[in-house]
Amino acid sequence: MTLQDTTPNTSISKDATWWRQAAVYQIYPRSFADSNADGLGDLKGITSRVNYLKTLGIDAVWLSPFYPSALADGGYDVDDYRNVDPRLGTLEDFDQMTQQLHQAGIKVIVDIVPNHSSNLHEWFQAAIASPKGSAERDRYIFRDGAGPDGDLPPADWESIFGGPAWEPVGDGQWYLHLFAKEQPDFNWANNEVREDFLKTLRFWSDRGVDGFRVDVAHALTKDVALADLPSKAELDAHPWDGTHPIWDRDEVHEIYAQWRQVFNEYDPPRIAVAEAWTNSDRRPAYARSTGLGQAFNFDLLQADFDAAAFKKIISFNLDQANIAGSSTTWVYSNHDVVRHATRYGLPLAGDPDSAKKWLLHGADPSVMDAELGLRRARAATLLELALPGCAYLYQGEELGLPEVTEISDEQRQDPAFFKNKGVEVGRDGCRVPIPWEAEGPSFGFGEVQPHLPQPESFGSLSVAAQNGNQGSTLELYREALRLRRELQSDESLQWLDASEGVLSFVRPNGWISVTNFSAQPQTLPEGTLLLSSAPLDEAGRLPAATTAWLRAK
């Protein structure tokens, strides 16, 4: 009898389509709540905040990795896929957390990292202790080095975090790591790798997990058996059409078809969402019902706060969801990007990396309009929550948290900073522990200083400071999520005629959303006002950078 049999999800709906229009809240466990005063968030900390999550009104949580890890990449370097990092708790703590979330009516989605393991994983340790050509090495991607002694890398490829993507092991062979050198890439042509991940999917599903977020879903299958590997220039020039040597190859979907068979063993079927950074028109393949079922749409995350851009992105992705037979996803912030309250306070640049460049060049406060950034973020969120599809929210955005810029080099943790000095500052600024109280050594995160520094401004943005405060960002999220559940309708919308710089649409049940991207107040359509991201002006018009929800008369 499995754990799933002995601890059924009695408080959780059996609706197999729950995910299609869910509000999913991403938790970065090490920065959510610290229960044991070690400066690091943990599973018991999450359990202690279940009531907060329930009153927020979300449908599911997604947990970033909580597995044993040396934290070479914030937990995405996994030592053991079927255990909990002892600094974060135990499997029993995980079971208790899952049970309490389920009792609160909240589903549980966990991160799975299939492209690479940690270099401390027992398989990789066995690989480097074994000879060339061994079964142990075949679980990863090893190649003989170039040059007479194999002392040169097999190719001049660069890792995502900077520096070479091939690392020597001292016997003339090198292993591939598309990310940090502590993250060796698995060889997905090896059936043992495939079978072990099926075991992992069942392990967590049997413990009551409702779904999986699949990290770097587009990179698992690679064509690296060629006698001569392509150069970096050739890789960069190769089209992403299903035949790229390392990215978004068509055969990756054979893996996800196997995963789908496992997901469908459960009632309701487990769900999965792909993190697939690929061409937009290739995302539907990941979201098919025969595969993972859903894929992240990062298009709004990369867009300026602009009506025309938003309308084009929304229309395109609703069409793509129809092609896949899935629901689309909407997201503005996560653990990898600059928080959108900060992005929207910077001058519009038409460059998705403009905020990262601003951070790199010293985060000059004179070019940042924090008030405007938060106002736009609130408006964008209300628009997002009115759209058909699944909304993914990142911890702290419900507090209006900005990107933290006051982190010294000595305090940083992200390998992207250390390997790319002078190129980017890394992702630590969006991973700073969130504030629960208005004061204290870590603003209620724990009893000691947290693992990343919090700015003094966090006190006024804390849960305690905003709780019950009408007009606060926290209360806006709570009311929006409550109304969203009440108003939810079929997965479609109809665009309404509107002035330039205004987006207006209606859902099938008469739920109207209007967002004013322009600089001038705008007249609202006929209807009963339900909620607005900022107060209307004295004439009852919608101010700039504001969204309103109405019920049609």
Side-chain angles (χ1 to χ4, degrees):
M1 183 177 288
T2 66
L3 250 171
Q4 186 191 33
D5 295 324
T6 58
T7 55
N9 300 356
T10 54
S11 300
I12 288 291
S13 168
K14 290 287 188 179
D15 179 10
T17 65
W18 67 267
W19 51 273
R20 295 189 66 94
Q21 298 198 77
V24 182
Y25 183 89
Q26 181 191 356
I27 292 177
Y28 190 74
R30 291 169 172 83
S31 295
F32 191 67
D34 171 18
S35 72
N36 61 354
D38 65 355
L40 201 64
D42 46 49
L43 298 186
K44 285 186 175 180
I46 296 171
T47 303
S48 73
R49 301 295 184 177
V50 167
N51 190 60
Y52 171 80
L53 297 169
K54 181 178 180 179
T55 59
L56 185 59
I58 57 168
D59 300 299
V61 295
W62 149 32
L63 305 179
S64 291
F66 50 82
Y67 313 110
S69 172
L71 301 184
D73 182 21
Y76 285 88
D77 48 313
V78 179
D79 298 350
D80 181 351
Y81 287 85
R82 298 188 285 273
N83 212 335
V84 173
D85 192 315
R87 292 167 293 185
L88 274 64
T90 64
L91 283 170
E92 289 73 23
D93 294 333
F94 179 88
D95 293 340
Q96 183 181 19
M97 176 198 68
T98 300
Q99 181 183 38
Q100 292 203 25
L101 285 165
H102 282 164
Q103 287 176 349
I106 298 171
K107 303 275 192 179
V108 178
I109 298 170
V110 300
D111 236 307
I112 189 166
V113 188
N115 180 68
H116 47 261
S117 75
S118 158
N119 62 336
L120 300 179
H121 191 287
E122 63 177 0
W123 276 8
F124 190 74
Q125 289 296 300
I128 57 176
S130 301
K132 293 190 289 185
S134 64
E136 290 80 5
R137 288 203 178 182
D138 191 56
R139 296 166 177 156
Y140 294 88
I141 298 175
F142 280 84
R143 290 281 304 227
D144 289 335
D149 300 315
D151 56 352
L152 298 175
D156 64 344
W157 300 356
E158 290 185 4
S159 81
I160 298 298
F161 292 146
W166 294 90
E167 186 72 13
V169 294
D171 60 4
Q173 284 210 313
W174 301 60
Y175 67 86
L176 177 66
H177 59 93
L178 292 182
F179 294 86
K181 68 179 181 180
E182 296 87 357
Q183 295 170 292
D185 282 42
F186 280 118
N187 172 20
W188 275 87
N190 183 305
N191 193 56
E192 193 175 2
V193 172
R194 298 191 179 209
E195 289 297 323
D196 197 67
F197 269 91
L198 297 181
K199 183 177 180 180
T200 294
L201 294 174
R202 289 190 176 97
F203 178 87
W204 292 110
S205 295
D206 286 346
R207 299 194 92 90
V209 162
D210 303 285
F212 300 87
R213 178 264 189 186
V214 185
D215 186 62
V216 199
H218 59 301
L220 272 57
T221 53
K222 303 174 180 72
D223 185 10
V224 291
L226 300 171
D228 295 314
L229 294 176
S231 66
K232 177 183 182 300
E234 290 170 324
L235 282 183
D236 292 345
H238 200 292
W240 286 41
D241 59 359
T243 67
H244 193 283
I246 57 177
W247 301 117
D248 188 30
R249 294 180 60 79
D250 286 338
E251 59 262 33
V252 76
H253 301 293
E254 298 170 9
I255 295 170
Y256 299 137
Q258 284 186 304
W259 288 23
R260 173 49 55 188
Q261 292 176 7
V262 172
F263 298 154
N264 289 346
E265 293 171 4
Y266 296 86
D267 180 23
R270 299 317 189 224
I271 65 105
V273 57
E275 183 210 26
W277 289 92
T278 185
N279 297 336
S280 297
D281 60 357
R282 289 188 58 82
R283 277 201 301 265
Y286 294 87
R288 292 181 301 219
S289 61
T290 53
L292 294 176
Q294 195 176 66
F296 276 123
N297 150 30
F298 296 118
D299 296 348
L300 284 182
L301 182 153
Q302 296 178 296
D304 285 340
F305 188 79
D306 176 80
F310 268 54
K311 185 174 183 179
K312 181 178 179 181
I313 287 168
I314 291 165
S315 298
F316 174 81
N317 282 285
L318 290 175
D319 289 343
Q320 292 289 290
N322 287 331
I323 292 171
S326 181
S327 67
T328 193
T329 61
W330 311 108
V331 57
Y332 295 121
S333 287
N334 61 35
H335 64 292
D336 281 335
V337 300
V338 178
R339 287 186 177 273
H340 63 288
T342 292
R343 295 201 312 270
Y344 290 154
L346 294 168
L348 299 179
D351 177 2
D353 291 326
S354 60
K356 291 172 64 175
K357 294 173 182 176
W358 172 74
L359 290 172
L360 177 65
H361 294 102
D364 182 358
S366 69
V367 300
M368 158 61 65
D369 188 334
E371 182 178 348
L372 176 62
L374 179 57
R375 187 181 183 93
R376 285 174 169 173
R378 288 164 56 106
T381 293
L382 220 55
L383 183 155
E384 171 192 26
L385 293 177
L387 291 170
C390 188
Y392 282 83
L393 312 173
Y394 181 50
Q395 66 176 45
E397 71 169 78
E398 77 277 16
L399 304 176
L401 295 187
E403 187 82 0
V404 176
T405 59
E406 305 92 343
I407 304 175
S408 68
D409 290 0
E410 294 73 24
Q411 293 169 315
R412 292 196 175 274
Q413 301 172 7
D414 189 357
F417 166 74
F418 296 105
K419 294 181 179 297
N420 276 328
K421 280 195 173 182
V423 178
E424 62 175 285
V425 298
R427 301 160 292 178
D428 294 314
C430 65
R431 299 177 178 184
V432 172
I434 63 175
W436 297 93
E437 303 294 339
E439 53 189 26
S442 62
F443 299 108
F445 168 72
E447 297 178 0
V448 299
Q449 292 292 327
H451 66 103
L452 284 169
Q454 301 160 305
E456 286 302 315
S457 61
F458 266 27
S460 61
L461 297 174
S462 65
V463 173
Q466 297 193 46
N467 192 37
N469 183 357
Q470 187 176 7
S472 71
T473 303
L474 175 58
E475 293 301 337
L476 174 69
Y477 268 71
R478 284 174 171 164
E479 181 62 7
L481 288 164
R482 185 192 68 79
L483 278 171
R484 182 180 190 266
R485 193 182 295 257
E486 176 185 307
L487 295 168
Q488 201 57 265
S489 70
D490 292 342
E491 294 176 45
S492 63
L493 61 75
Q494 179 182 347
W495 294 108
L496 301 176
D497 291 338
S499 302
E500 184 176 357
V502 177
L503 280 193
S504 183
F505 60 85
V506 61
R507 298 289 296 275
N509 60 354
W511 174 15
I512 298 173
S513 175
V514 185
T515 303
N516 183 6
F517 290 84
S518 78
Q520 302 300 321
Q522 300 289 332
T523 301
L524 286 168
E526 289 288 321
T528 302
L529 180 67
L530 301 174
L531 185 64
S532 60
S533 62
L536 304 186
D537 70 9
E538 294 179 355
R541 296 175 302 178
L542 189 68
T546 305
T547 295
W549 290 356
L550 304 96
R551 191 191 299 273
K553 289 185 177 179

